[in-house]
Amino acid sequence: MTSTLRLTTAQALVKFLANQYSERDGVHERLVTGIFGIFGHGNVAGVGQALLQAQVQSQEGAGGDEVLGELPYYLARNEQGAVHAATAYSRARNRRQVMAVTTSIGPGATNMVTGAALATTNRIPVLLLPSDQFANRVPDPVLQQLEDPGSLDITVNDVFRPISRFFDRINRPEQLIPSLMNAMRVLTDPADTGAVTIALPQDVQAEAFDWPLAFFAPRVWHIGRPVPEPAALQRALAVIRSARRPLIVAGGGVVYSEAGAELRAFASATGIPVADTHAGKGAINWDHPSAVGGVGSTGSAAANALAREADVVIGIGTRYSDFTTASHTIFAADDVRFVNVNVLGFDAAKHGATMVVADAREALRALSRELAGWQVDPSYRQEAIDADAAWQQVVDECYHRGHTPLPAQTEVFGALNELMGPEDVVINAAGSMPGDLQCLWRATTPVQYHVEYAFSCMGYEIPAALGVKMALGDDHEVVAIVGDGTYQMLPMEIATIVSEGIKVIIVLLQNHGFASIGALSQSRGSQRFGTMYRMRSAATGRLDGDMVPVDLAANAASWGADVLHCESIEQFRENYARAAASDRTTVLYIETDLEGPNPPGSAWWDVPVSQVSTLPSTQQAYAEHLAARTAQRPYL
């Protein structure tokens, strides 16, 4: 047996990825389970050939060192959609498994930039493999190459550098060895993870090299669970024990570390109320006695009332986004202190906190041991229970408004919340819907709530439904909720879903405009300008004429999905049952009221208003903005 194996760089890439595994808590799994992509001249004869060879070898049952090992390939319709699907897949697998994405040079590569930013912002691992210009620079400039007079080393792929947790360009075949080792390190890092980008010059992809066989040996990457440093734990305990009105903010780190049971046990034992962020919703079941719902700009009145008077905020696995802190207004007590548990020191240090750099599950276990017998005052526990009970009455009202002539979107959410099971998944990302969902959705399990609100990217939902369904399988109903604005961004992955024979449910709300930004525009004095889908008026010259005659239901059907029209909430419920019983992807189309009504707000969000204006509406909004800003404060 030889100690080396002659393969192209692309073939070596596929063989390496097919032999990588992850391990956490004794569970071994394939690390990179497949690859999305679209082929162009930059990757069709390199990575494309390698994937074909791997599949042919697998089908023929070939053996020996030269076998690449199959890496399933999924043909996407848009590169951004492919990254969204891969990201959603990894999130649904709690970051234990990932997908890769291959693209051609130029626009194929830059189409991935938004998806890469979303993955890194959400701290979700995804492997991106954009093609690049010729490393030998003989064909120069090649088709779709960006020329920079100041440096011949700059390509469009350099835009991935600031939004990737790891970036490399493979200019010689042997550079792939350390590059892939570092890529796997970042993909399995429980703290510093996100988009990993390896740019592949098209000539290097096809270049052969004698690879050491040890490079392809099966390798297990252990996903760590950092335990709390004893001294840090004691500092945190001292702060918590001194608290009179503590509040837990549960973030995505609780979900990704699969620490829901520990959080519920800790809350039950101590009586500390638990609020949640978008990424953390479901970490504690909504009907747990300590659960008080979402916190921040779009949070529940119960959680926000407690947050305003909390003297100690215990952030577990949260990065404290602007919406979580309500633009630094919601944690309002003069003496408020923070204890932050996070695997990433960057997040643990926020707001001048007492830091515990540790895995959420391990930290909660340690806190539970050390705080055995300690509880909040019974009156405070009861206050949280009563506040949440009052808020649940508001939720019931929002879910069953009977709004006419068109239903409010909150009624659609109410029907879904009551129809979907605890292991089913609701997906959303942008517009007014995430706010309504964080405010109202009653999540029973961590898997049920999949709302991307770190990047809040329009177009995420439909490709995300593909990724989540691939990750979880047929035992979970996967429901993507999209508005007409989001739908028009990235509907084409419906074709990918259909071609793969995957069944999801897409709820398409048509309200002929941007509900969220329209309401924000109106509240900030801009009169919903440019936020409705209207024909340009000859009288005014603005987009305020008749509705644009677009038929989104017909468009959805053209991608191969079944479409059911819903004329009322009652018919929506009936059609959901039909969609759930079907084995085909179904779009439930329903028109809703653009102007709500929405849930009652209980917090603020800082969106600057013009300081000077001739418009009375803007002048009034600026005065209101100045008044609201007085509640803002630094948390260090």
Side-chain angles (χ1 to χ4, degrees):
M1 179 180 295
T2 61
S3 60
T4 61
L5 183 63
R6 192 163 183 79
L7 298 172
T8 68
T9 301
Q11 292 163 1
L13 169 71
V14 171
K15 186 172 179 64
F16 176 89
L17 294 180
N19 283 289
Q20 305 305 301
Y21 297 86
S22 69
E23 179 276 330
R24 187 170 72 174
D25 300 333
V27 178
H28 290 72
E29 300 173 290
R30 178 87 173 264
L31 177 56
V32 184
T33 59
I35 182 166
F36 287 102
I38 297 177
F39 291 128
H41 73 274
N43 63 340
V44 67
V47 173
Q49 187 280 335
L51 290 168
L52 169 64
Q53 181 172 316
Q55 292 191 11
V56 169
Q57 289 175 337
S58 177
Q59 291 163 359
E60 293 177 346
D65 291 337
E66 62 279 352
V67 173
L68 303 184
E70 187 174 3
L71 189 66
Y73 175 73
Y74 305 97
L75 173 59
R77 268 57 180 180
N78 179 281
E79 292 88 353
Q80 179 181 329
V83 182
H84 289 336
T87 303
Y89 175 93
S90 180
R91 174 174 169 174
R93 298 299 300 163
N94 284 335
R95 307 192 299 189
R96 300 190 312 269
Q97 294 179 296
V98 303
M99 298 278 276
V101 184
T102 177
T103 72
S104 189
I105 186 177
T110 56
N111 275 354
M112 292 200 296
V113 171
T114 297
L118 181 148
T120 297
T121 305
N122 282 275
R123 319 279 167 81
I124 304 295
V126 62
L127 177 59
L128 308 181
L129 304 169
S131 298
D132 215 319
Q133 65 191 39
F134 276 64
N136 64 24
R137 299 181 184 171
V138 176
D140 181 59
V142 295
L143 179 64
Q144 298 174 329
Q145 176 179 330
L146 173 73
E147 292 185 276
D148 186 334
S151 172
L152 299 183
D153 189 45
I154 299 295
T155 81
V156 295
N157 288 336
D158 286 280
V159 301
F160 287 98
R161 289 183 184 271
I163 55 176
S164 299
R165 300 299 348 126
F166 177 77
F167 176 91
D168 199 11
R169 178 177 288 113
I170 308 303
N171 287 308
R172 292 177 56 87
E174 58 267 39
Q175 292 176 349
L176 188 69
I177 297 174
S179 185
L180 281 178
M181 296 295 285
N182 276 279
M184 299 304 108
R185 169 185 60 81
V186 175
L187 290 173
T188 54
D189 191 315
D192 194 18
T193 193
V196 170
T197 304
I198 299 180
L200 299 169
Q202 50 198 297
D203 55 338
V204 178
Q205 289 181 46
E207 186 176 345
F209 181 74
D210 292 320
W211 304 89
L213 280 177
F215 181 52
F216 304 118
R219 183 171 283 101
V220 178
W221 298 86
H222 302 279
I223 301 175
R225 286 192 179 276
V227 298
E229 184 217 347
L233 182 64
Q234 292 304 316
R235 290 191 293 269
L237 287 165
V239 176
I240 294 171
R241 288 191 181 106
S242 71
R244 294 173 294 99
R245 300 180 62 85
L247 175 69
I248 293 171
V249 176
V254 181
V255 175
Y256 301 142
S257 66
E258 298 173 348
E262 285 74 15
L263 177 62
R264 292 189 293 272
F266 180 72
S268 296
T270 63
I272 301 176
V274 181
D276 49 49
T277 69
H278 274 292
K281 186 169 285 294
I284 190 169
N285 47 302
W286 72 274
D287 53 354
H288 188 284
S290 291
V292 294
V295 68
S297 296
T298 55
S300 76
N304 286 340
L306 293 168
R308 286 189 175 92
E309 297 186 14
D311 58 346
V312 172
V313 177
I314 307 169
I316 306 178
T318 177
R319 64 189 188 92
Y320 288 108
S321 76
D322 183 38
F323 263 66
T324 299
T325 69
S327 301
H328 282 214
T329 62
I330 204 64
F331 305 118
D334 290 338
D335 58 348
V336 64
R337 293 168 292 165
F338 292 83
V339 172
N340 291 343
V341 176
N342 206 292
V343 287
L344 186 63
F346 176 75
D347 289 325
K350 288 177 177 175
H351 308 327
T354 298
M355 299 168 58
V356 181
V357 180
D359 172 76
R361 191 189 74 178
E362 296 305 308
L364 281 164
R365 288 179 175 178
L367 289 170
S368 293
R369 288 193 301 269
E370 295 291 332
L371 288 172
W374 182 91
Q375 296 181 356
V376 300
D377 188 276
S379 64
Y380 180 54
R381 185 193 290 251
Q382 189 61 48
E383 178 186 341
I385 292 173
D386 293 344
D388 185 67
W391 177 252
Q392 294 309 321
Q393 294 181 5
V394 176
V395 174
D396 286 333
E397 293 168 3
C398 292
Y399 277 179
H400 303 281
R401 289 186 183 278
H403 187 65
T404 57
L406 294 175
Q409 69 182 22
T410 60
E411 296 177 86
V412 177
F413 300 156
L416 286 172
N417 209 167
E418 293 163 3
L419 291 166
M420 294 173 64
E423 297 301 315
D424 297 337
V425 186
V426 63
I427 300 174
N428 191 247
S432 61
M433 296 184 195
D436 289 2
L437 288 167
Q438 191 202 15
C439 209
L440 304 175
W441 191 266
R442 293 162 167 164
T444 306
T445 64
V447 74
Q448 191 184 57
Y449 188 85
H450 186 118
V451 172
E452 187 283 300
Y453 210 57
F455 211 54
S456 187
C457 183
M458 297 178 70
Y460 173 80
E461 295 91 340
I462 291 174
L466 168 63
V468 171
K469 191 71 172 188
M470 293 172 68
L472 300 182
D474 292 334
D475 292 337
H476 302 258
E477 206 71 74
V478 175
V479 181
I481 310 176
V482 296
D484 49 353
T486 286
Y487 178 86
Q488 292 177 79
M489 291 279 183
L490 268 177
M492 67 285 295
E493 297 309 328
I494 295 176
T496 306
I497 293 169
V498 171
S499 69
E500 293 292 343
I502 290 173
K503 180 268 180 87
V504 300
I505 298 173
I506 299 169
V507 177
L508 173 53
L509 277 61
Q510 168 69 287
N511 54 27
H512 305 282
F514 296 106
S516 173
I517 296 303
L520 182 66
S521 170
Q522 186 169 358
S523 70
R524 299 305 192 270
S526 295
Q527 305 173 18
R528 291 185 180 265
F529 175 74
T531 65
M532 293 178 285
Y533 293 124
R534 297 291 188 270
M535 302 293 290
R536 189 167 299 280
S537 168
T540 66
R542 298 201 296 265
L543 295 174
D544 57 4
D546 294 336
M547 291 181 181
V548 178
V550 62
D551 191 338
L552 298 184
N555 179 266
S558 74
W559 296 112
D562 294 339
V563 177
L564 299 176
H565 288 256
C566 308
E567 303 299 330
S568 64
I569 295 297
E570 291 71 22
Q571 190 176 32
F572 177 85
R573 289 176 176 271
E574 295 169 0
N575 284 341
Y576 180 86
R578 292 173 59 188
S582 174
D583 60 358
R584 288 173 48 84
T585 286
T586 303
V587 175
L588 302 180
Y589 176 90
I590 184 169
E591 293 205 33
T592 56
D593 192 327
L594 176 65
E595 299 188 21
N598 300 109
S602 58
W604 185 61
W605 182 35
D606 191 355
V607 176
V609 179
S610 298
Q611 292 186 355
V612 295
S613 174
T614 60
L615 302 177
S617 60
T618 306
Q619 294 168 1
Q620 179 182 343
Y622 181 64
E624 294 170 353
H625 180 76
L626 286 179
R629 281 181 56 185
T630 60
Q632 253 181 337
R633 56 178 294 186
Y635 300 133
L636 302 182

